[in-house]
Amino acid sequence: MKRSLLAVACMLIGLSTTNAAQTTLNVGMGSADAGKLDPHLATTTPDKGLLHWMYNGLVRIKPGQASPKFIEPDLAESWTSSADGLTWTFKLRKGIQCHGKYGEFDAEDAVFSIQRAANKDTSSFAKDFGAVGSVEATGSYEVKITLTEPVPSLLGLLVPYHGGNMVCKDAVEDLGEDYQRSPIGTGPFMFAEYQPQQYVKLVSNEDYFRGAPRIKEIYYRYIPSDASRDLAFQSGEIDLIYGKQDQTWVDRIKKIPNTEVVVMEPGEMSVIHLNMTMPPLDNPLVRQAVAHAINRDLMVQFKGPGVTRKSVSIVPEGYLGYTDDITRYPHDPAKAKALLAEAGFPNGVTLKTIHTTLSGMLSTMEAVQATLKESGINLEITTVEHATFHAQIRKDLSQVVHYSAARFPIADVYLTQFFDSASIVGTPTAVTNFSHCNVADAEIRAARVESDSTKQLALWKTAQQKITDMVCAVPIFQNLQLWAWKSSLDLGVNVKGSLNLSPPVTEKAYFKN
Amino acid sequence: MSSFIIRRLGFAIVTLFAVLTLVFFIVRILPGDPAMVILGDQASMEAIDALRARLGLDRPLIVQYGDFMVGVLSGDWGTSMVSGRPVIAEILKVLPATIELTLVSLVLGALIGIPLGIWSAVKRNRLPDYFTRLSSLIGLSFPAFVSAILLLLVFSIQLRWFPVISSGQGTTLVDRLRDLALPAINLGLIMAAYITRVARSSMLEVLGQDYIRTARAKGIIFSQIIWRHCLLNSMIPVVTVVGLYLGILIGNSVLTEIVFNRPGLGKLIVGALNQRDYTMLQGMMVIYTLIVVVVNLLTDLTYGFIDPRVKYK
């Protein structure tokens, strides 16, 4: 009896071996489950990160980078555009295979993909493709896109991110509703299995046109509890881990032997939007006072200088069109008080905000609250759960809105979504203009169709200057993306950033012995 | 007896109906729109409205309610708004894992709690009693997720006996046991703490009864008194408590499933709530209500077996 008990115990202990042959990559993602695995519908960080490894675009940003400066060929080997910028022709590579039994990727698939991305019934990003007039196949491997107005950032729409992911027509039509849970692309890794609340398994695409991946299997595991995820990394069950945007996380994870911690672009920028139609914020002096009252240096210290970057403009640093040559509002409580007094509030003001309970965002807002207090600005925070927060700020219920976001890194996207009057919340064309800002519409709209890049940069700069002068919003800092992996994992590229917010796991990634 | 069961079943159906009606409306009062949660914060209002229409959320509330009730009665619980799969299929997929976890913890809790409670009562106001009372108090006041992390630190990180994340791929019995061990111990200890306290006080009450004094006066050996006369009589309140605390156990299983990354009803309901998956939430509530109603019914029936004084009319 004793002996058999011992045997059972040995089995229990003995079986806890790790993967001996390291061709399997275990990833720990901080979410409870997959959302949509259809690349034209997926908008959440966990979904985008996973899809990143399965899809290609016509062009791509060089792996490891996040800036559109690094655009290079992907499924298209070359492209040309007409002088007026309205017609673009892409020549596709030959012999690219869709995952599974769906055959060669050709012009018909590319046309189908772009039309699908531009259709609001099948895409969350339809609006981004608003200027696409027609897409046609002008040969088996040639695609022509005709625009209704010039879009200088057209290539940016065609990288494998959001609507730019190229899908295979036969797969979408064959799978129907199931497509959103069984993605078929052309990338280095193929979808193999989905276990609800557990993992998505990918396998290598041996026919990948850049060569067969060296990693053969990826388990993308959903581990919502931060503590369990960190412990699983520590125990070696996970090779690549999604981090909390927090200095303490970096400091803790760095202590685990043989660990690389990577701080990646793009940053999610925290911006405090001030509703310019609600008193007392309808008074520009009060808004200026808020800008002077917030201590950005302190905020960066508080969040951790290794993981955050101070913000200057309302467009995040690193985005095409960003400028730091702009009016600044240095921390100055005395000046803030004077401005308030001048505006007729010698005893200070009280502002109200509805805020999410998400801890990372909430701690930022509480720190803002503390720095505002020194200048006589009393910020009352009402916390609600995250989905409620999103619903309520879109109903204009919050005077002050703290929004943290990363977008496609071109100034136009941030300016249009947050500061064009067409995007004001509560209107039929609403996006996320919480401040009701309308001071730079002319520049934002002109820049969008300007084909001369120097003029375009000048327009974006003027727009940023005008919005900053009117203090529609106060930028605080950028939170960079944090990931860590075992030193034995070599991704084969130098990782500075990733548009999809997950490190590039390509055909080059492998485990060192 | 059978008329009692029929009456209890009728009562259960009324309860179910009331709960479902409440759930339907409470879920819809919750701010936050499923279409927006699904499409994300960058989607346009146009796209959100289109999805709302596709999900049928633009129809009058009363029509949606009618459809839902007819659906539940006819066994069609709809499809998840997020995954697009039948709600019943998603629930049935994870239900066995939660039942397994709950039952194993319950058994573990009873195996630890009942003997400890009795021992504590018999040794009243002596060292074993103090020890038991203190440890059950600690067990009661410890949040389930804290004890879960402590277990992981000791048994997974230090000793490396069990995995931090349930693989979910376990096909052999050993693999399944390794996945189950820590979560079951975590919940089992909490359950043991409750059971210990009830078993102790109930045992003390029985020990103070006249017939026990009589038995002792007749010179029957104390241990025989405990086994023959006290044990079964003191178990009635324990059964009640086990039934009642099953709800608490299910509540704690939510935290336990999340920390141990174990698929189950708890993880499913938290996900559904975050994503405002109305149909899934409704389906989950049907299941939870059914579990509670059935457990209560079974608890009542169990009384009859262990206490002959209870008569069903």
Side-chain angles (χ1 to χ4, degrees), chain B:
Chain B
M1 180 78 180
S2 60
S3 77
F4 169 80
I5 295 179
I6 289 169
R7 249 187 305 127
R8 282 305 310 260
L9 277 178
F11 191 63
I13 290 167
V14 174
T15 312
L16 199 60
F17 179 80
V19 169
L20 288 183
T21 305
L22 263 174
V23 166
F24 179 87
F25 288 102
I26 288 174
V27 160
R28 275 158 185 80
I29 290 169
L30 279 179
D33 176 359
M36 209 182 82
V37 178
I38 291 168
L39 291 180
D41 60 4
Q42 290 186 62
S44 66
M45 281 320 283
E46 245 184 350
I48 291 172
D49 288 342
L51 183 61
R52 284 178 60 83
R54 213 157 68 229
L55 295 173
L57 293 171
D58 55 344
R59 297 172 308 155
L61 211 54
I62 197 74
V63 175
Q64 292 184 45
Y65 174 71
D67 278 2
F68 162 63
M69 277 302 180
V70 171
V72 168
L73 291 179
S74 62
D76 172 15
W77 295 7
T79 53
S80 157
M81 289 184 179
V82 177
S83 73
R85 292 189 195 194
V87 166
I88 287 194
E90 300 252 315
I91 292 177
L92 288 182
K93 209 168 175 179
V94 296
L95 188 63
T98 299
I99 290 182
E100 183 182 73
L101 175 64
T102 313
L103 285 184
V104 172
S105 338
L106 202 61
V107 170
L108 213 59
L111 285 179
I112 301 170
I114 294 174
L116 265 188
I118 293 169
W119 191 45
S120 179
V122 172
K123 307 274 180 187
R124 188 180 183 184
N125 289 336
R126 283 151 67 187
L127 203 60
D129 185 27
Y130 294 134
F131 165 76
T132 311
R133 278 158 67 188
L134 183 70
S135 46
S136 67
L137 193 67
I138 293 172
L140 287 180
S141 43
F142 231 68
F145 68 94
V146 176
S147 50
I149 288 175
L150 285 178
L151 285 174
L152 282 177
L153 276 173
V154 174
F155 294 103
S156 299
I157 301 292
Q158 294 301 324
L159 296 171
R160 309 233 159 190
W161 288 3
F162 302 105
V164 176
I165 37 174
S166 295
S167 67
Q169 295 144 285
T171 42
T172 66
L173 184 66
V174 174
D175 277 351
R176 287 181 66 103
L177 283 177
R178 289 179 77 225
D179 280 352
L180 181 62
L182 290 185
I185 290 171
N186 191 45
L187 278 184
L189 289 180
I190 295 170
M191 203 59 202
Y194 281 111
I195 294 177
T196 307
R197 292 185 77 83
V198 179
R200 177 184 179 273
S201 61
S202 144
M203 191 73 185
L204 281 176
E205 203 187 311
V206 175
L207 281 173
Q209 298 281 329
D210 287 345
Y211 69 91
I212 300 293
R213 265 202 295 276
T214 311
R216 295 191 78 164
K218 279 162 66 184
I220 300 176
I221 307 162
F222 189 57
S223 64
Q224 257 187 19
I225 296 177
I226 302 288
W227 284 109
R228 283 245 185 104
H229 303 281
C230 297
L231 204 58
L232 211 53
N233 288 332
S234 65
M235 280 305 105
I236 299 166
V238 175
V239 170
T240 319
V241 162
V242 167
L244 282 177
Y245 284 161
L246 201 84
I248 295 173
L249 201 58
I250 289 174
N252 277 317
S253 75
V254 174
L255 292 169
T256 302
E257 281 171 2
I258 286 176
V259 176
F260 292 103
N261 219 48
R262 203 184 140 79
L265 288 183
K267 269 187 92 177
L268 198 60
I269 198 166
V270 171
L273 198 60
N274 282 335
Q275 295 176 300
R276 297 289 189 270
D277 190 344
Y278 292 169
T279 39
M280 183 59 89
L281 275 174
Q282 285 157 192
M284 302 288 299
M285 288 317 293
V286 178
I287 286 289
Y288 274 117
T289 316
L290 275 176
I291 291 176
V292 172
V293 165
V294 168
V295 166
N296 274 311
L297 186 65
L298 290 178
T299 312
D300 286 354
L301 295 178
T302 317
Y303 286 165
F305 291 107
I306 58 175
D307 187 353
R309 288 171 303 175
V310 177
K311 292 271 186 288
Y312 299 109
K313 284 178 192 139

Side-chain angles (χ1 to χ4, degrees), chain A residues 9-80:
Chain A
C10 285
M11 260 166 75
L12 288 174
I13 300 160
L15 279 174
S16 58
T17 49
T18 49
N19 287 312
Q22 269 282 41
T23 51
T24 299
L25 173 67
N26 278 291
V27 185
M29 175 36 80
S31 80
D33 204 352
K36 298 273 176 202
L37 295 181
D38 178 333
H40 292 160
L41 292 175
T43 54
T44 65
T45 304
D47 290 346
K48 274 195 282 208
L50 175 66
L51 291 165
H52 181 189
W53 305 330
M54 285 185 263
Y55 283 89
N56 293 102
L58 289 184
V59 296
R60 68 172 184 177
I61 290 176
K62 192 178 157 204
Q65 298 291 347
S67 163
K69 279 190 296 201
F70 295 95
I71 282 182
E72 60 179 29
D74 201 10
L75 294 179
E77 53 187 12
S78 64
W79 56 89
T80 53

Side-chain angles (χ1 to χ4, degrees), chain A residues 152-171:
Chain A
S153 55
L154 179 76
L155 289 178
L157 288 179
L158 300 173
V159 300
Y161 171 74
H162 289 180
N165 286 295
M166 291 291 131
V167 300
C168 295
K169 185 182 175 196
D170 289 350

